C-alpha cells in the first residue's frame, strides 16, 4: 500500500496552491480533470515523441485524468503502470497492432433490447448509465462509446430501461456500468437506484465503477454513502490493475463503503507491460485483501480496437493462477475469465489439476506438482 503523506499533492508544482478542501473534494477532482497537452506539459516535460503520440492518438481516442490519479505516477514514462494506463500511445492507432480487433466484440449494442441495456444472460442485465468517465483508460473495453460526445442518458432512455426490467421477471440483477455511473450527481444515482430498488424481482444492483481507483474522494461524500445504505441491494465492483494504485486513501474510502453494508469486489485486466507477471498480480491481490476488497475476476484482455497491444498470451493468466494457488490465500485468488466474441459470454479458464481420469479413480496434482490417486 502506498502511503500518501499529508498534503502530498503540494509536491507537484502545478498543484502546490490547491488547498485540502478542494483536492479532497470529488467534484473538484472531476472539474479539474486534465485533458489537454498544455495541461500535461505543466506537470512534466513532455518529449517530442510523447507529444506526437498524444496529438495523433487523441484525434481518435481522448485523453483525460483526475489530478489524484496523475499524482500517483512516480515516473512519467510508459514503463510506469499508471502512466501507461492513461497516456495515449501510437500503438492504439497502429493498424498492424490492432489487426483482428473490433469496436464492439461482444455485440453489446446488438444484444440490446432497448438502447443502453444489454441482456446476455437470462437473470442479469447490463445498463450503461452514462458515457462519461473521470479518467480515460487506454485499455477501455468500451472505447467505442467515447468516440461520441459525452452525455448522460435522457429520462426517456432510463424509463425505457426500467420498463424492460420491470417486464422481464427473470432478471434478478442489474449491473450499472458506463462510462462511470459514480461520476453522476447523487440525485441522478438516487433516481436510478430508487427505480431499480422498487422492482421486487431484483435481488442485487451491481455498480461497476473506477472512481475508487481514480477519485477515491467520491466515497467521502456523505450523500452517496447514505444512498448506498438506503438502497441496500448495492454491490460495488471496482477496477484496480496495479499495486501502485492502492493507497491509504483507498483504504479509508473502502472503510466508508463497507460501513454502508456494501461489499467491494475487484476486476483486473491482465495487460502487457502493466501487470503481466506473477509477482505483480500476487502483490496486487494481497494488497486488495489488505484494504478489504475481494478479487473477483482477472480478465484476458478483450479484442477491442485500440487496446490490442495490451494483450498477453492467453496462457499467461493460467500460469499466474497456477502460481497463486496454494501460495496465496484462496480469498486472494480471482477467477481468470475470457469474454467470448459474438456475445457468447464469459468463460472461466483454470489450470488443470486432474492428471488422469479413470472409471474408478482420478489422479490429481497439487500446487507443488505432487500427485495422488483418489477413488471416485
Ligand atoms: C460481464 C457481464 C455480466 C456479468 O457477468 P458475471 O459473470 O455475473 O460477472 C452480465 N452481462 C453482461 C452483458 C456482461 O458482459
Amino acid at each position: 500500500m502506498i502511503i500518501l503523506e499529508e498534503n502530498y499533492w503540494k509536491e507537484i508544482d502545478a498543484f502546490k496552491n490547491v488547498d485540502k478542501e478542494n483536492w479532497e473534494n470529488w467534484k473538484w477532482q472531476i472539474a479539474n480533470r486534465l485533458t489537454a497537452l498544455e495541461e500535461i506539459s505543466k506537470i512534466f516535460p513532455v518529449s517530442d515523441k510523447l507529444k506526437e503520440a498524444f496529438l495523433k492518438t487523441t484525434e481518435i481516442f481522448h485523453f483525460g485524468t483526475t489530478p489524484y490519479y496523475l499524482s500517483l505516477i512516480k515516473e512519467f514514462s510508459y514503463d510506469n503502470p499508471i502512466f501507461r494506463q492513461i497516456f495515449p500511445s501510437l500503438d492504439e492507432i497502429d493498424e498492424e497492432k490492432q489487426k483482428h480487433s473490433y469496436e464492439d466484440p461482444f455485440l453489446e449494442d446488438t444484444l440490446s433490447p432497448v438502447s443502453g441495456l444489454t441482456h446476455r444472460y437470462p437473470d442479469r442485465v447490463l445498463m450503461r448509465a452514462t458515457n462519461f468517465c473521470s479518467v480515460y483508460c487506454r485499455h477501455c473495453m468500451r472505447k467505442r462509446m467515447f468516440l461520441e460526445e459525452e452525455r448522460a442518458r435522457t429520462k426517456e432512455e432510463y424509463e425505457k430501461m426500467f420498463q424492460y426490467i420491470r417486464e422481464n421477471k427473470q432478471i434478478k440483477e442489474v449491473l450499472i456500468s458506463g462510462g462511470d455511473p459514480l461520476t453522476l450527481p447523487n440525485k441522478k444515482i438516487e433516481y436510478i437506484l430508487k427505480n431499480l430498488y422498487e422492482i421486487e424481482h431484483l435481488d442485487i444492483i451491481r455498480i461497476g465503477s473506477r472512481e475508487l481507483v481514480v477519485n477515491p474522494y467520491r466515497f467521502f461524500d456523505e450523500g452517496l454513502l447514505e444512498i448506498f445504505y438506503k438502497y441496500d441491494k448495492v454491490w460495488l465492483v471496482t477496477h484496480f490493475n496495479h499495486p501502485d494504485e492502492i493507497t491509504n486513501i483507498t483504504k479509508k474510502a473502502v472503510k466508508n463503503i463497507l460501513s454502508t453494508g456494501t461489499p467491494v469486489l475487484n476486476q483486473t485486466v491482465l495487460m502487457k507491460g502493466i501487470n503481466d507477471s506473477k509477482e505483480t498480480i500476487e502483490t496486487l491481490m494481497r494488497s486488495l485483501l489488505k484494504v478489504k476488497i475481494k478479487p473477483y475476476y482477472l480478465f484476458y484482455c478483450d479484442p477491442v480496437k485500440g487496446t490490442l497491444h495490451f494483450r498477453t498470451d492467453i496462457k499467461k493468466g493460467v500460469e499466474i493462477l497456477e502460481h497463486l494457488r496454494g501460495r496465496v490465500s484462496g480469498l486472494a485468488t480471482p477467477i481468470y475469465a475470457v469474454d467470448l466474441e459474438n456475445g457468447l459470454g464469459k468463460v472461466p479458464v483454470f489450470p488443470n489439476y486432474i492428471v488422469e481420469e479413470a472409471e474408478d479413480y482420478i489422479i490429481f496434482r497439487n500446487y507443488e506438482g505432487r500427485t495422488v490417486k483418489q477413488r471416485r
Side-chain angles (χ1 to χ4, degrees), residues 48-59:
D48 287 346
K49 248 192 154 144
L50 288 178
K51 242 176 226 169
E52 187 200 352
F54 189 103
L55 293 172
K56 280 202 176 143
T57 308
T58 53
E59 274 177 32

Side-chain angles (χ1 to χ4, degrees), residues 164-165 305 368:
Y164 179 85
I165 298 165
K305 204 173 191 114
E368 302 158 304

